[in-house]
Amino acid sequence: MKSERTLSIIKPDGVEKSVIGDVVSRFEKAGMKVVAMTMLTMTDEQAGGFYAVHQERPFFGELKEYMSSGPVVVMVLEGPDAIDANRKIMGATDPAQAEPGTIRADHAESIERNIVHGSDSPESASFEIPYFFPEL
Ligand code: IDP
Ligand code: MG
């Protein structure tokens, strides 16, 4: 297994629900290292740039509003197959479809307010990591 880096975000609902510690702990227990971390509040424009792949989707406006509605924790995780490993720990986008024991099954309230973001491919990770951590 190759070591990879992936971008993880604890979204505004995750920060609001006080599950930062729980989420980070799940990643660490799974063998991933947090190699960068910051808390920030995105502007609507920053959220739109981050989610530009979804700009034609009907939920794009709401997604920008949600993602810029409060502070988020943005981090880079590193470990074996970190991109897929993170996606498995997160669970499916819609918490109703997420495997029991995943972050989204345990904490998310809807397909939109689903607690965490994780890069979905090496290409996404190589766009998303420098979007927040240009020095990495
Ligand atoms: P992902 O976060 O599991 O990769 P994506 O399809 O990339 O899911 O969607 C990005 C984000 O957009 C989701 O995490 C969620 O917050 C929001 N989203 C996705 N699908 C819907 C929808 O059908 N309605 C409202 N929001 C959605
Ligand atoms: Mg995605």
Side-chain angles (χ1 to χ4, degrees), residues 62-85:
E62 273 182 23
L63 178 60
K64 287 190 293 178
E65 200 176 316
Y66 157 51
M67 289 300 290
S68 58
S69 66
V72 297
V73 173
V74 189
M75 64 196 134
V76 177
L77 304 174
E78 184 175 274
D81 282 326
I83 295 169
D84 283 348

Side-chain angles (χ1 to χ4, degrees), residues 54-125:
H54 294 309
Q55 61 193 342
E56 305 303 331
R57 309 285 283 275
F59 57 80
F60 185 60
E62 273 182 23
L63 178 60
K64 287 190 293 178
E65 200 176 316
Y66 157 51
M67 289 300 290
S68 58
S69 66
V72 297
V73 173
V74 189
M75 64 196 134
V76 177
L77 304 174
E78 184 175 274
D81 282 326
I83 295 169
D84 283 348
N86 178 33
R87 297 286 302 192
K88 285 201 180 76
I89 295 165
M90 290 164 58
T93 309
D94 181 353
Q97 309 292 326
E99 289 285 319
T102 59
I103 294 168
R104 284 165 163 173
D106 288 348
H107 296 304
E109 65 195 50
S110 69
I111 193 169
E112 176 179 77
R113 297 175 63 84
N114 60 7
I115 305 281
V116 277
H117 167 83
S119 306
D120 66 2
S121 64
E123 295 69 35
S124 301

Side-chain angles (χ1 to χ4, degrees), residues 7-30:
L7 190 89
S8 168
I9 302 179
I10 303 174
K11 298 181 178 184
D13 51 328
V15 174
E16 177 59 30
K17 287 183 172 164
S18 302
V19 296
I20 296 172
D22 177 67
V23 169
V24 174
S25 172
R26 291 178 193 229
F27 297 147
E28 291 185 332
K29 284 182 181 141

